[in-house]
Amino acid sequence: ELPFTEYESFVLRNSGNDWGSTMFRDALMTSLVDDVDIDKQDYRPAVLFINGEYWGIQNIREKVNEHFLAQHHNVDPDSVDLLEYFGQVVKGDSTDYLALHSFIENNNPAIPINYEYVRTQMEVDNFISYFVSQIYFDNQDWPGSNIKYWRKQSNGKWRWIMFDTDFGFGIWDPNAYQNNTLQFALEPNGPGWPNPPWSTVFLRRLLLNESFKNDFINCFADLSNTIFKPAAVVDKINSMASVVQPEIPRHSSRWNQFTYNQWLTNVQNMRYFASHRLDYLRAHFIQSFNLAGTANVNLFISDTSKGNIKLNSLDIKTPTWSGTYFLGIPINITAHPARGFRFVRWEGSIISTDDSLSLTLNGT
């Protein structure tokens, strides 16, 4: 979609907790999920002058309010419920959310009719992508903090908004890539900050449902095979760092919050996080869900001009593709012929003429 040309308001953000570290940490994380169906703030770095006086780097960000929702979702800004923390009202009211929270807490989602009801009340795929991303980021100032969610009043489903992820990507600890943030996001009895019981109850309870659990595990696998792949994340870090790098000496001499070399080290710590995070998080998934391990899925398309393959949420359009999936968790693949072509068959380890398959992996 084209960038918006008018904004009701925007934010000049000093990079939050990342002030003194890299100046683009939150923007990195939210831009990694640019193509995922999660509400997040766009980003553009800027240099600020106040009455002609140099004020250093500030990040232009969208402001998360009802106008942001109206702009992105074509809804009336006066007919949304926008909440934060545990049902605290920013706009609208919290009755519907608190009822859903109570329903999930008190009705077993493993029973299909209960899960079907939950699916009418919240955008489950949005919730899953949002939680998987925050877990990958190791955002430790969440989920009991920095959490906002909204719905269109009258018949809208609840959706989650990503913002202020600054505690993620190893800001306080260069070894944070080892953290078991999956366990942290499932804590049944965490402290009031940062992961109290109300903030983990949706994920804890919904994982009792087999279909939700498979979707959650597959979402992590899909994202880890694409946007969270180490090389892709390091590329994103490099491209964002290169934009602000020329300004760092002047900015740091204005505020003295880091030296140029410290800034380089802080950016390198993020690269290190990106390079090592997935190995640990995959192990946490295997441990938490008692999985047998992983296997490679290798796809080959005889002629990409004649069609493509959909694998879970991913559109595969390259002649060869490889990704890592979990043993025992069904994956869904569908062949999509281009106009004027028809799908003939799958060959290889699977022989089938069905265009759509659900495969439970027991090996590569």
Side-chain angles (χ1 to χ4, degrees), residues 24 34 36 74 97 125 144 150 175 185 194 221 267 273 276 327 345:
F24 67 94
D34 263 349
V36 180
N74 197 25
Y97 172 78
D125 290 344
W150 74 281
N175 297 315
V267 175
F273 183 98
H276 294 84
L327 296 171
R345 66 181 177 275

Side-chain angles (χ1 to χ4, degrees), residues 47-289:
V47 171
L48 179 65
F49 293 83
I50 299 181
N51 295 335
E53 187 186 351
Y54 179 77
W55 218 255
I57 298 168
Q58 294 280 329
N59 297 326
I60 308 176
R61 308 300 298 266
E62 291 172 281
K63 183 172 177 64
V64 175
N65 58 17
E66 66 273 21
H67 304 285
F68 164 87
L69 300 173
Q71 190 176 28
H72 284 273
H73 292 276
N74 197 25
V75 295
D76 175 352
D78 294 321
S79 66
V80 297
D81 294 328
L82 172 61
L83 312 179
E84 61 185 356
Y85 304 112
F86 185 25
Q88 282 174 265
V89 175
V90 179
K91 179 87 181 171
D93 81 76
S94 63
T95 315
D96 187 84
Y97 172 78
L98 294 173
L100 175 60
H101 198 278
S102 170
F103 181 88
I104 288 174
E105 208 162 19
N106 297 307
N107 297 273
N108 184 356
I111 299 167
I113 195 166
N114 290 338
Y115 183 53
E116 283 315 308
Y117 173 72
V118 169
R119 289 180 67 87
T120 67
Q121 300 301 301
M122 60 185 267
E123 294 275 10
V124 168
D125 290 344
N126 164 270
F127 173 88
I128 287 176
S129 306
Y130 167 83
F131 262 75
V132 164
S133 300
Q134 295 272 23
I135 287 167
Y136 165 78
F137 298 152
D138 182 44
N139 182 1
Q140 298 273 327
D141 193 9
W142 171 91
S145 181
N146 294 318
I147 187 160
K148 285 183 180 163
Y149 38 96
W150 74 281
R151 67 161 199 152
K152 195 171 101 185
Q153 284 171 347
S154 76
N155 63 349
K157 297 183 184 184
W158 288 100
R159 291 175 56 86
W160 278 259
I161 303 169
M162 180 176 287
F163 70 103
D164 197 344
T165 59
D166 294 311
F167 271 51
F169 253 71
I171 187 168
W172 311 120
D173 173 10
N175 297 315
Y177 59 84
Q178 300 176 17
N179 287 349
N180 190 341
T181 325
L182 176 57
Q183 199 177 343
F184 170 91
L186 289 170
E187 184 54 58
N189 204 19
W193 177 87
N195 56 344
W198 68 260
S199 70
T200 63
V201 73
F202 276 41
L203 187 58
R204 269 188 287 128
R205 298 283 295 167
L206 291 173
L207 281 168
L208 298 172
N209 181 281
E210 188 80 7
S211 146
F212 177 93
K213 185 185 83 168
N214 290 343
D215 288 347
F216 184 80
I217 294 169
N218 272 325
C219 173
F220 168 60
D222 285 355
L223 298 185
S224 66
N225 287 317
T226 51
I227 56 175
F228 296 157
K229 272 172 87 163
V233 180
V234 170
D235 280 351
K236 178 79 81 172
I237 293 169
N238 291 344
S239 71
M240 293 178 85
S242 67
V243 175
V244 295
Q245 188 159 3
E247 197 60 36
I248 292 298
R250 188 180 183 191
H251 173 91
S252 63
S253 67
R254 170 69 175 84
W255 295 113
N256 296 315
Q257 91 269 40
F258 47 58
T259 66
Y260 182 70
N261 281 343
Q262 283 166 334
W263 180 82
L264 288 174
T265 300
N266 297 336
V267 175
Q268 182 56 28
N269 283 343
M270 286 208 295
R271 289 191 194 99
Y272 201 81
F273 183 98
S275 302
H276 294 84
R277 177 60 172 159
L278 280 187
D279 290 342
Y280 283 87
L281 194 49
R282 277 200 186 106
H284 299 151
F285 268 75
I286 288 169
Q287 180 194 339
S288 290
F289 296 111

Side-chain angles (χ1 to χ4, degrees), residues 269-317:
N269 283 343
M270 286 208 295
R271 289 191 194 99
Y272 201 81
F273 183 98
S275 302
H276 294 84
R277 177 60 172 159
L278 280 187
D279 290 342
Y280 283 87
L281 194 49
R282 277 200 186 106
H284 299 151
F285 268 75
I286 288 169
Q287 180 194 339
S288 290
F289 296 111
N290 200 16
L291 304 171
T294 60
N296 284 336
V297 172
N298 303 305
L299 301 175
F300 305 89
I301 302 175
S302 57
D303 185 342
T304 50
S305 67
K306 295 174 183 174
N308 65 303
I309 297 174
K310 181 122 183 181
L311 166 59
N312 293 337
S313 68
L314 306 177
D315 288 312
I316 311 295
K317 295 175 174 165

